[in-house]
Amino acid sequence: MKKRILLPDDERITQWYNVMPDIPNGILPPLNPANNEPLTPDVMAQIFPMGLLEQEMSVDRQIDIPEEVLDIWSIWRPSPLIRANFLEQKLGTKARIYYKYEGVSPSGSHKTNSAVAQAYYNKREGVKRLATETGAGQWGSALSFATHKFGLECKVYMVRVSFDQKPYRKSMINTYGATIVASPSPDTPTGREYLERDPNSPGSLGIAISEALEDASSREDTKYALGSVLNHVCIHQSVIGLEAKKQLAMVGEKADVVIGCCGGGSNFAGLAATFVPDKLNGQDIRLIGVEPASCPSLTKGIYAYDFGDVSARTPLLYMYTLGHDFMPPGIHAGGLRYHGMSPIISALLREKIIEARSAHQLECFDAAVLFAQTEGIIPAPESSHAIRAAIDEAMREPDKPQTILFNLSGHGLLDLASYDKFFAGALQDFAYPEEAVEEAKKTLPKV
Amino acid sequence: MKKRILLPDDERITQWYNVMPDIPNGILPPLNPANNEPLTPDVMAQIFPMGLLEQEMSVDRQIDIPEEVLDIWSIWRPSPLIRANFLEQKLGTKARIYYKYEGVSPSGSHKTNSAVAQAYYNKREGVKRLATETGAGQWGSALSFATHKFGLECKVYMVRVSFDQKPYRKSMINTYGATIVASPSPDTPTGREYLERDPNSPGSLGIAISEALEDASSREDTKYALGSVLNHVCIHQSVIGLEAKKQLAMVGEKADVVIGCCGGGSNFAGLAATFVPDKLNGQDIRLIGVEPASCPSLTKGIYAYDFGDVSARTPLLYMYTLGHDFMPPGIHAGGLRYHGMSPIISALLREKIIEARSAHQLECFDAAVLFAQTEGIIPAPESSHAIRAAIDEAMREPDKPQTILFNLSGHGLLDLASYDKFFAGALQDFAYPEEAVEEAKKTLPKV
């Protein structure tokens, strides 16, 4: 048995895969909330570079990965595919479980894949500085690393409550040479407005997005960067699945079940979307997205146009949503606390090409601890949702010799305080209130 | 250029290298402090299993690595050898810098190599439980992982000041299912004695060692484990150098300079000792150990018999020492705060086969930040000593196309608070007081 399947450098992925043209019935375009018309590139070009906008709207299946991106990726890519044989033994299952491990990137998660690509395209078009928001901190640290590599400045607006709870993320962002400020901050009109109302405001992702957007709009030299949800981010992450398929083939395997956790959707899309052509060609393969039961956009949400942020300032995206002002409870998988879902993943669910399920926080931590004690790696709370589902799949029919592949999107070394709380019995599960859907419907923009 | 040199599984190391028989004039044996006679195995057998004691006294150059150890090692071994091309570019040097990266192990440092081996030999001889101490936390977390894999219980006595400063190490140890207590603890006679004197005692490595030894001596089912200094630990770590040599050969390189940081000496021995036969055979190669300027056992210490612990309870080891009651200042490379040095490394220095130098804390953090910003990995403060020396070597003659190899013994993700202090200007350098050597001489045991 091979424990770690390492892709040789000469087999590395040099083209991204874009699932857009392979989605039956396609996806609806983003709308300008001012007039409900499809968004034109010139509006978007104020905040994103053209290189990324072209990808956002691309219908090409293959997109060349720039040499400069491959060069920096070489620090950790190709990432390993690892057989979870110790977990299998502990479970007593005949399933063969493999995980693609993205925690090997400098900032410890898959986010670095897109961060490097986004920094590159901004740099190429003369941008000097990027502004972004970060919730749990993975995206902020990934972009800090990437911008520094390309000689760009970077300013990160980090939700105040995370800023205080996860001081090591702030340290990492500082180490990579970026500027970080707790949001709401005194540095933007929105930040000042919220601080005036409440100097101790815990902040929210919505406020942080607004601050980063305002920052980017107010300066000629600055653009905005988003770490998930959008098509171009999902495209960048396709390297995960493309590598994994080659690695499975190296050991003569084909995936029967493919699993990823879902927040904004980019890590699941990165892995699962690359299997969509196989599924459309008749291969018997299940693609399962796993979201928190407390923030269940895919399993309980409404499929409709909605804002991407709480402050209702972004373009309208057609997606599964819990309503843009839904405030998810404070679970420790901070990266999955998002009211919406990538339009790509949403459309794949609508077409029944993927499945969705939800898992509660405590059962995910149970899975994470079992994984750490068998496989050694302490998983990010986000990634533990994928582990939970992989274990459940392996144990539904333990004698079935199926091949399960999941994405271990990041390590949990900067989330160890949440493990402490779990062991101390200080965490709880949160049910999503069924009546909230009806409330959410009232908040949707009229289109 | 190849960024990461990955050793194929069929090239993996299956025999450790023991440098003992290759040390000219050998090393002096450990003594029993009760009678100043060489220690007999039966005395040592009370706290260590025979499998490890055989290695401790072995004069075999090659020692088979048990299949069970290789099996667990497969989670992260062979570890990558990485070309630091981004650092080279930034420096503008013609030196080719390679680093062996041991931070890929589950607990994030090279310590896991020996932890797995030690857990195995204890398990094989029916031991049910291990007791150990940990200062900075790397060894405690490594042993917690390893013991759990072999179904052993583990109790870690962690120096109180580190226990409070590095809460994530405690979380990691809990996650791996071990028991951890701050030392001094109410669980042992020594712990209670110190607590009675001062309920807020910050503890010390000496107290923690005494507590772990008392724990192991007081229970039939328990033995003691040490994470550095001793010969068997250095032997286990030889896998680092053996892999690195093969990996360098894969890209047609031969090391001109080999560098590692030195605390107890096991990570430097693991890398550098494997090059000793080449040096003895006339190869022009320099082996450089780097220690903190504030705790300079190799560069300022006395070569003599001394106790391994502050409380003067261990056997006497012949080594470079600053005196067993030397209390190093609170630098953030906690794993290098040790008054003595591995007898193997000490003898290699005496024979002028290796060189030693020291580096100050602030220049090491400078090197660490430069490394993080170019190569992406945030280094452990301990490992930053090796980076500092590698940079200095590369820049001494920047036009010289030499090959420099250093050991990046661990990542610094659980040490990010020390980076914060560095950025805030809250760290300082500590000189070793020259007069301290004369004081230390008075404390040495009469042999």
Side-chain angles (χ1 to χ4, degrees):
Chain A
M1 189 220 71
K2 237 179 140 46
K3 176 68 180 162
R4 293 181 301 154
I5 300 118
L6 306 171
L7 200 63
D9 281 350
D10 55 11
E11 287 285 320
R12 71 179 182 172
I13 305 301
T14 56
Q15 289 190 316
W16 283 303
Y17 165 67
N18 176 18
V19 73
M20 285 273 279
D22 287 328
I23 301 176
N25 305 307
I27 71 174
L28 291 177
L31 301 184
N32 186 336
N35 56 17
N36 283 349
E37 294 292 320
L39 212 60
T40 49
D42 58 299
V43 176
M44 297 286 273
Q46 292 163 18
I47 54 167
F48 291 118
M50 284 312 297
L52 294 177
L53 287 180
E54 280 164 20
Q55 293 175 1
E56 190 63 25
M57 310 195 183
S58 173
V59 289
D60 297 333
R61 282 187 176 79
Q62 265 79 38
I63 297 172
D64 286 340
I65 306 174
E67 208 42 65
E68 293 85 344
V69 171
L70 292 172
D71 191 34
I72 297 179
W73 274 8
S74 71
I75 291 177
W76 74 97
R77 301 216 76 86
S79 71
L81 180 75
I82 306 178
R83 173 86 181 265
N85 58 310
F86 296 113
L87 175 64
E88 292 167 18
Q89 284 159 24
K90 182 79 180 175
L91 293 173
T93 177
K94 287 203 175 118
R96 292 180 305 281
I97 307 176
Y98 292 86
Y99 58 99
K100 182 72 170 160
Y101 185 36
E102 293 295 310
V104 290
S105 90
S107 68
S109 82
H110 68 289
K111 295 282 186 187
T112 327
N113 299 328
S114 185
V116 171
Q118 292 191 40
Y120 164 76
Y121 287 106
N122 277 285
K123 171 75 176 183
R124 199 186 61 172
E125 296 179 30
V127 177
K128 302 278 182 234
R129 183 173 169 277
L130 287 178
T132 198
E133 73 287 331
T134 197
Q138 284 102 333
W139 171 245
S141 40
L143 194 68
S144 302
F145 163 72
T147 46
H148 191 90
K149 289 297 290 177
F150 284 104
L152 301 176
E153 286 178 57
C154 180
K155 176 140 179 192
V156 179
Y157 294 85
M158 185 167 182
V159 178
R160 162 65 76 182
V161 59
S162 296
F163 185 90
D164 292 338
Q165 273 175 358
K166 301 193 178 189
Y168 280 19
R169 281 286 168 197
K170 184 179 54 184
S171 319
M172 182 180 258
I173 288 167
N174 282 331
T175 303
Y176 289 139
T179 306
I180 175 167
V181 66
S183 167
S185 80
D187 303 357
T188 68
T190 294
R192 287 190 289 273
E193 186 191 317
Y194 276 90
L195 284 177
E196 231 164 77
R197 275 194 238 162
D198 176 9
N200 298 315
S201 164
S204 74
L205 205 51
I207 299 171
I209 291 177
S210 300
E211 288 208 275
L213 280 168
E214 276 172 17
D215 179 316
S217 314
S218 70
R219 290 179 57 153
E220 270 296 316
D221 63 350
T222 302
K223 292 217 181 284
Y224 170 75
L226 190 67
S228 188
V229 181
L230 298 179
N231 301 351
H232 67 270
V233 186
C234 295
I235 289 171
H236 300 157
Q237 297 296 355
S238 69
V239 66
I240 301 171
L242 295 170
E243 284 182 4
K245 289 174 84 166
K246 281 195 174 194
Q247 288 164 309
L248 283 176
M250 282 171 67
V251 287
E253 292 271 18
K254 253 187 172 176
D256 298 305
V257 187
V258 174
I259 299 168
C261 66
C262 282
S266 76
N267 102 76
F268 179 56
L271 181 68
T274 62
F275 291 90
V276 167
D278 305 310
K279 178 142 186 150
L280 294 175
N281 284 332
Q283 191 184 319
D284 186 14
I285 182 170
R286 293 168 56 213
L287 311 174
I288 307 174
V290 192
E291 61 187 7
S294 57
C295 189
S297 53
L298 283 172
T299 52
K300 305 266 170 112
I302 311 146
Y303 196 36
Y305 271 113
D306 198 4
F307 293 100
D309 70 324
V310 185
S311 321
R313 288 164 194 249
T314 70
L316 303 179
L317 299 174
Y318 200 67
M319 60 182 177
Y320 283 94
T321 175
L322 298 166
H324 61 273
D325 61 0
F326 173 68
M327 193 56 72
I331 57 166
H332 278 269
L336 307 185
R337 294 179 63 232
Y338 186 64
H339 69 276
M341 182 55 62
S342 150
I344 282 178
I345 293 298
S346 296
L348 289 171
L349 179 64
R350 175 200 65 200
E351 297 299 320
K352 299 191 169 51
I353 293 171
I354 65 164
E355 306 166 35
R357 71 174 62 165
S358 71
H360 279 288
Q361 170 160 268
L362 294 180
E363 59 182 344
C364 290
F365 270 101
D366 276 335
V369 171
L370 183 64
F371 188 82
Q373 293 185 348
T374 50
E375 293 295 316
I377 298 165
I378 298 178
E382 291 82 1
S383 317
S384 74
H385 289 68
I387 301 173
R388 176 74 268 161
I391 292 174
D392 291 346
E393 284 301 310
M395 296 313 288
R396 220 162 31 94
E397 295 173 76
D399 287 332
K400 189 175 164 187
Q402 57 182 333
T403 302
I404 299 172
L405 166 67
F406 74 88
N407 193 19
L408 189 65
S409 54
H411 65 64
L413 296 180
L414 304 191
D415 303 278
L416 279 164
S418 63
Y419 281 81
D420 280 343
K421 286 193 184 147
F422 173 65
F423 291 127
L427 295 188
Q428 55 171 307
D429 286 337
F430 300 93
Y432 176 76
E434 300 292 336
E435 66 278 13
V437 178
E438 290 310 312
E439 288 305 308
K441 279 183 186 162
K442 298 176 195 161
T443 72
L444 294 179
K446 302 280 169 279
V447 176
Chain B
M1 190 220 71
K2 236 178 141 47
K3 177 67 180 163
R4 293 181 303 154
I5 300 118
L6 306 170
L7 200 63
D9 281 351
D10 54 11
E11 288 284 321
R12 72 178 180 172
I13 304 300
T14 55
Q15 289 191 315
W16 284 303
Y17 165 67
N18 176 17
V19 73
M20 284 273 278
D22 287 328
I23 301 176
N25 305 307
I27 71 174
L28 291 178
L31 302 184
N32 186 336
N35 56 17
N36 284 349
E37 294 292 320
L39 213 62
T40 50
D42 57 300
V43 177
M44 298 285 274
Q46 292 164 17
I47 54 167
F48 291 118
M50 283 312 297
L52 293 177
L53 287 181
E54 279 163 21
Q55 293 176 1
E56 189 64 25
M57 310 195 185
S58 173
V59 288
D60 296 334
R61 280 187 178 80
Q62 266 78 40
I63 297 172
D64 287 340
I65 306 174
E67 208 43 64
E68 292 85 345
V69 171
L70 291 173
D71 191 34
I72 296 179
W73 274 7
S74 70
I75 290 177
W76 74 98
R77 300 216 76 87
S79 70
L81 179 75
I82 306 178
R83 173 85 180 265
N85 58 310
F86 297 113
L87 175 64
E88 292 167 20
Q89 284 160 23
K90 182 80 180 174
L91 294 174
T93 177
K94 288 203 176 117
R96 294 180 304 281
I97 307 177
Y98 292 87
Y99 57 98
K100 182 71 171 161
Y101 186 35
E102 293 295 310
V104 290
S105 89
S107 68
S109 83
H110 69 289
K111 295 281 185 190
T112 327
N113 299 327
S114 184
V116 171
Q118 293 191 40
Y120 165 75
Y121 286 106
N122 277 285
K123 171 75 176 184
R124 199 186 62 171
E125 297 179 29
V127 176
K128 303 276 182 238
R129 183 173 171 277
L130 287 179
T132 199
E133 73 287 331
T134 197
Q138 285 103 333
W139 171 245
S141 41
L143 194 67
S144 301
F145 163 72
T147 47
H148 191 90
K149 290 295 291 176
F150 284 104
L152 300 177
E153 286 178 57
C154 179
K155 176 141 179 191
V156 179
Y157 294 85
M158 185 167 182
V159 178
R160 162 65 76 181
V161 59
S162 296
F163 185 91
D164 292 338
Q165 273 175 359
K166 301 193 178 188
Y168 281 19
R169 281 286 167 195
K170 183 179 55 183
S171 319
M172 182 180 257
I173 288 167
N174 282 331
T175 304
Y176 288 139
T179 306
I180 176 167
V181 67
S183 167
S185 80
D187 303 357
T188 67
T190 294
R192 287 190 289 274
E193 186 191 317
Y194 276 90
L195 284 177
E196 230 165 77
R197 275 194 237 163
D198 175 7
N200 299 315
S201 165
S204 74
L205 206 51
I207 299 171
I209 292 178
S210 299
E211 288 208 276
L213 280 168
E214 276 173 17
D215 179 316
S217 313
S218 69
R219 290 179 57 154
E220 270 296 316
D221 64 350
T222 301
K223 292 219 181 283
Y224 170 75
L226 190 67
S228 188
V229 181
L230 299 179
N231 302 351
H232 66 270
V233 186
C234 295
I235 289 171
H236 300 156
Q237 298 296 356
S238 68
V239 67
I240 301 172
L242 295 169
E243 284 181 5
K245 288 175 84 166
K246 281 195 175 196
Q247 287 163 309
L248 282 176
M250 282 171 68
V251 288
E253 291 272 19
K254 253 187 172 174
D256 298 304
V257 187
V258 174
I259 299 168
C261 65
C262 282
S266 77
N267 101 77
F268 178 56
L271 182 67
T274 62
F275 291 89
V276 167
D278 305 310
K279 178 142 185 150
L280 293 175
N281 284 332
Q283 191 185 319
D284 185 14
I285 182 170
R286 293 168 57 215
L287 311 174
I288 307 174
V290 191
E291 60 187 8
S294 57
C295 189
S297 53
L298 283 172
T299 52
K300 304 265 169 115
I302 310 146
Y303 195 36
Y305 270 112
D306 198 4
F307 293 100
D309 69 325
V310 185
S311 322
R313 290 166 193 247
T314 70
L316 302 179
L317 298 175
Y318 201 67
M319 61 183 177
Y320 282 94
T321 176
L322 298 166
H324 59 273
D325 60 1
F326 174 68
M327 191 58 71
I331 57 165
H332 278 268
L336 307 184
R337 294 179 65 232
Y338 186 64
H339 69 277
M341 182 55 63
S342 149
I344 281 178
I345 292 299
S346 297
L348 289 171
L349 180 64
R350 175 199 65 200
E351 298 298 321
K352 299 192 169 49
I353 293 171
I354 64 164
E355 305 166 36
R357 71 173 63 164
S358 70
H360 279 288
Q361 170 159 267
L362 295 180
E363 60 182 345
C364 290
F365 271 100
D366 276 335
V369 171
L370 182 64
F371 187 82
Q373 294 185 349
T374 50
E375 294 294 317
I377 298 166
I378 299 178
E382 290 83 1
S383 317
S384 74
H385 288 68
I387 301 173
R388 177 73 267 161
I391 292 174
D392 291 346
E393 284 301 311
M395 296 313 287
R396 220 162 31 93
E397 295 174 77
D399 287 333
K400 187 175 164 188
Q402 55 182 334
T403 302
I404 299 172
L405 166 67
F406 73 88
N407 193 19
L408 189 65
S409 53
H411 66 64
L413 296 179
L414 304 191
D415 302 279
L416 279 164
S418 63
Y419 281 81
D420 280 344
K421 287 193 183 145
F422 173 65
F423 291 127
L427 295 188
Q428 53 172 309
D429 287 337
F430 300 93
Y432 176 75
E434 300 292 334
E435 65 278 11
V437 178
E438 291 309 313
E439 287 305 307
K441 279 182 185 162
K442 298 177 195 160
T443 72
L444 293 179
K446 302 279 171 278
V447 176

